[in-house]
Amino acid sequence: MEEERILERERLQMEQIRELDFEELQVEEVDEFRDSEDDDDDLGISHHTRRLLSDNVGADDEHVFNPDVASLHTYLGEVEDTPNRTAFVEGGTVLKIPLFYLEGVVLFPESTLPLRIVQSTFLAAIERAFNQPNAPCTIGVIRVYREGNQFKYATLGTTAEIRQYRRLSDGSFNVITRGQQRFLLNRRWTDVEGFPCGEVHIVEEDVPLRTPRDAFGKLVPISNLRAPSHSSTMALSASFRDTDEMSVGNSEGSFESALSPSEKRLHYSAVDSIMDDWTSSDDDDEVVSTSNIQSADGRTPVSKGKCPKLNRLTSFRKNTDLNRFRMAPRAFWPFWVYRMYDAYHLAQRAADLWKQIVGVPNMEAIVNKPDILSFSIASKIPVSESIRQELLEIDGVSYRLQREIELLESFDRVRCKHCQSVVARRSDMLVMSSDGPLGAYVNPHGYVHEIMTFYKANDIAISGRSVKEDSWFPGYAWTIANCATCETQLGWLFTATSKKLKPSSFWAVRSSQVADDMR
């Protein structure tokens, strides 16, 4: 049902775009402006674009680029929905599907990948994907990269579902796909028709857990060991007020029965050592053996060591109210350790950081789905392709979110991969697509580029003339942009073809040409 609503919205947007075919520019006219930044985020408007809106209030003759247009990949022309698409398959399933090796591209589940199929071998691969019985309309996408003079292939990729397509008069295909599931590549070969195929093993993703709740909710407080008939409800500390209330069991042996004899000895020894440290002093010189002294419950020796220390320990037990310690949850680590691996807490932190640093798209709608949120951030975060491949290969939602939080906190500069020159900064980001600050686009020759967009750049020189045809952003002409230091092609400069269109220009930098060090 949700997928049908998404497709219906896409059709509606396509119809609106077709109505603009006879106009000079495909842009959205701004008649009035939002008062709330949250409304702007919902529309996919970047922070810099929001500033442009604020600066141009009352300027009726100006237009602001609509980021929804870029996310629809309208440069591919009209496309049709693909029938008989396959649903998600179970983790652990082995499939034999056509493979697409793409240089400079890392596909994540739930992200969009446009393709233009012009080579005869890959045309055969698309035809095979349409007709294969086990996984119809499904292909595998693998990142390929250069290491010296050799090409290397990643061993973990993502399946892509062919959602829309268009067969052109020359026999080529325009295709829009969507990432589905991660897979491990077991083996690969070349089909008799000349295109690459592979046997892939679908990764079984872990279920996001609220680790602190699981850790604390199954354990009883120390007080239950003293009062077996007493039942109580434990309230967590203020740091856990945002989680559900957790009740505890009332069985005396529920905790200890799960411990082996060696674990019980370790447990009582640890408790005794803590009390021993609290009551010790530096001037204890007299050592007396106390090996025959046992604890009150007769389970194990209480201490061995110094007689004055034993006296102080006894006095400590008599004069100290241990109720607050007995009511403490019997978890091995303090609460903040568990929070480090709480997928839901990490998802909220990541969403808050994303809103603060990037802003678009708004992640609040999926903050209660940490697995989807982790893939969404990984597919849109403006970092190098090798770092994004690293994110794709991380198993475990909490580990992936931890790494993304680290990247969001440390990401500051964009450097050229070859000469390390700083070409842009985080504060220069400009989101030109409602998909986010990084997205994949395909050129007429079938090459897919992942680009990140900035309204300002440094040490970049443009080369050649500006071209209006085949622009990824309607209303903008593109010009090749090279690194001014090493002359490597970093991306493109997009310039508005009308003075009425805002922003007037912006830079698109290829993620494959960005260095890993972004601090």
Side-chain angles (χ1 to χ4, degrees):
M1 187 64 69
E2 182 179 353
E3 181 179 340
E4 292 177 359
R5 287 198 299 269
I6 294 173
L7 291 175
E8 183 63 29
R9 179 174 64 85
E10 292 178 351
R11 291 193 196 98
L12 211 59
Q13 291 172 334
M14 288 297 294
E15 290 176 2
Q16 293 173 349
I17 292 167
R18 292 190 196 108
E19 293 176 359
L20 300 175
D21 285 343
F22 296 101
E23 297 186 10
E24 180 183 357
L25 298 174
Q26 292 180 319
V27 295
E28 179 185 13
E29 185 170 356
V30 181
D31 294 326
E32 56 185 10
F33 302 96
R34 304 268 181 169
D35 294 330
S36 168
E37 290 191 2
D38 293 335
D39 292 340
D40 291 340
D41 288 341
D42 294 337
L43 289 171
I45 299 175
S46 69
H47 295 302
H48 182 63
T49 303
R50 189 182 302 116
R51 289 197 295 271
L52 289 171
L53 286 171
S54 301
D55 294 339
N56 292 306
V57 172
D60 296 333
D61 59 337
E62 292 186 341
H63 303 76
V64 174
F65 181 78
N66 181 7
D68 288 335
V69 176
S71 63
L72 292 175
H73 301 278
T74 56
Y75 56 90
L76 292 177
E78 295 185 7
V79 289
E80 301 175 5
D81 292 338
T82 306
N84 304 321
R85 299 197 303 263
T86 185
F88 281 84
V89 298
E90 294 184 1
T93 302
V94 176
L95 299 175
K96 294 180 180 179
I97 55 177
L99 295 181
F100 278 68
Y101 299 114
L102 299 180
E103 186 176 4
V105 175
V106 181
L107 179 64
F108 286 85
E110 303 298 323
S111 61
T112 300
L113 174 65
L115 297 173
R116 180 165 278 168
I117 314 300
V118 294
Q119 297 181 9
S120 58
T121 54
F122 289 107
L123 289 171
I126 291 294
E127 295 284 3
R128 173 69 60 82
F130 283 149
N131 300 314
Q132 58 192 359
N134 58 342
C137 301
T138 300
I139 61 175
V141 177
I142 294 276
R143 172 186 171 243
V144 60
Y145 57 98
R146 298 174 186 268
E147 198 170 272
N149 295 325
Q150 293 184 334
F151 281 102
K152 299 286 185 179
Y153 300 90
T155 57
L156 191 143
T158 305
T159 60
E161 176 189 61
I162 302 173
R163 291 201 163 190
Q164 296 171 309
Y165 74 100
R166 179 191 181 193
R167 190 191 299 268
L168 304 180
S169 57
D170 59 358
S172 61
F173 272 101
N174 286 342
V175 176
I176 295 179
T177 70
R178 190 172 182 85
Q180 291 285 85
Q181 294 170 280
R182 297 189 306 154
F183 65 78
L184 288 169
L185 182 61
N186 291 342
R187 61 189 182 94
R188 56 188 175 91
W189 65 91
T190 301
D191 188 81
V192 291
E193 295 187 62
F195 60 86
C197 289
E199 180 184 84
V200 302
H201 182 272
I202 302 299
V203 174
E204 186 171 359
E205 305 290 353
D206 67 329
V207 178
L209 297 177
R210 190 178 290 280
T211 307
R213 181 178 61 196
D214 296 339
F216 286 99
K218 297 178 182 179
L219 303 178
V220 300
I222 298 177
S223 60
N224 286 1
L225 300 179
R226 300 286 182 176
S229 61
H230 174 68
S231 63
S232 62
T233 301
M234 177 182 64
L236 292 180
S237 65
S239 299
F240 285 96
R241 287 173 187 167
D242 58 331
T243 62
D244 301 330
E245 253 186 56
M246 296 172 284
S247 59
V248 297
N250 57 7
S251 167
E252 177 179 4
S254 60
F255 174 71
E256 293 183 346
S257 60
L259 301 178
S260 65
S262 60
E263 289 174 332
K264 288 181 181 179
R265 288 194 298 272
L266 179 62
H267 168 69
Y268 287 114
S269 175
V271 172
D272 189 58
S273 296
I274 293 172
M275 291 185 175
D276 193 19
D277 290 340
W278 284 345
T279 58
S280 62
S281 64
D282 295 335
D283 58 348
D284 295 328
D285 298 324
E286 183 181 357
V287 179
V288 179
S289 174
T290 57
S291 59
N292 294 325
I293 300 177
Q294 292 186 336
S295 62
D297 53 15
R299 286 188 175 91
T300 189
V302 186
S303 63
K304 296 180 181 181
K306 306 173 183 180
C307 187
K309 186 180 296 184
L310 177 62
N311 293 336
R312 285 190 295 274
L313 182 61
T314 304
S315 175
F316 172 83
R317 288 172 175 169
K318 287 181 179 181
N319 299 327
T320 305
D321 182 9
L322 299 181
N323 286 332
R324 59 189 292 257
F325 298 105
R326 292 170 184 160
M327 288 303 298
R330 298 177 62 84
F332 186 77
W333 299 106
F335 75 90
W336 57 267
V337 176
Y338 292 98
R339 267 205 152 177
M340 292 170 58
Y341 300 94
D342 181 347
Y344 290 86
H345 174 68
L346 291 169
Q348 186 62 63
R349 280 189 61 196
D352 291 343
L353 272 174
W354 182 268
K355 184 176 183 180
Q356 173 188 347
I357 296 172
V358 182
V360 182
N362 195 326
M363 297 288 181
E364 292 300 325
I366 54 175
V367 73
N368 290 325
K369 300 176 181 178
D371 49 345
I372 297 177
L373 183 136
S374 71
F375 285 133
S376 182
I377 290 180
S379 67
K380 299 170 174 57
I381 188 169
V383 294
S384 68
E385 62 166 319
S386 56
I387 291 181
R388 296 174 69 246
Q389 179 68 35
E390 172 198 334
L391 292 174
L392 181 67
E393 295 180 359
I394 294 177
D395 290 322
V397 177
S398 59
Y399 296 109
R400 190 179 302 113
L401 286 168
Q402 285 176 344
R403 178 63 173 141
E404 288 166 355
I405 290 171
E406 178 187 348
L407 290 171
L408 286 170
E409 290 176 335
S410 61
F411 162 52
D412 181 54
R413 302 178 183 183
V414 175
R415 301 176 184 272
C416 173
K417 181 179 181 180
H418 301 280
C419 66
Q420 301 298 312
S421 297
V422 176
V423 296
R425 298 180 182 272
R426 184 179 73 185
S427 56
D428 301 330
M429 267 193 310
L430 174 66
V431 180
M432 291 296 293
S433 169
S434 56
D435 283 340
L438 185 143
Y441 300 85
V442 61
N443 69 15
H445 305 290
Y447 293 100
V448 182
H449 298 282
E450 286 186 333
I451 61 171
M452 53 188 78
T453 50
F454 302 88
Y455 76 90
K456 185 174 71 173
N458 306 310
D459 295 329
I460 297 183
I462 59 174
S463 172
R465 63 182 183 88
S466 61
V467 180
K468 297 180 181 179
E469 292 77 17
D470 303 306
S471 177
W472 298 326
F473 302 91
Y476 288 88
W478 53 271
T479 312
I480 294 176
N482 298 328
C483 175
T485 304
C486 65
E487 299 184 352
T488 301
Q489 184 190 352
L490 288 177
W492 300 267
L493 170 66
F494 285 86
T495 308
T497 57
S498 170
K499 294 181 179 180
K500 297 180 181 180
L501 182 59
K502 300 296 181 181
S504 58
S505 65
F506 62 93
W507 301 85
V509 178
R510 300 160 61 195
S511 65
S512 60
Q513 302 304 314
V514 169
D516 293 342
D517 183 11
M518 308 190 76
R519 293 171 295 175

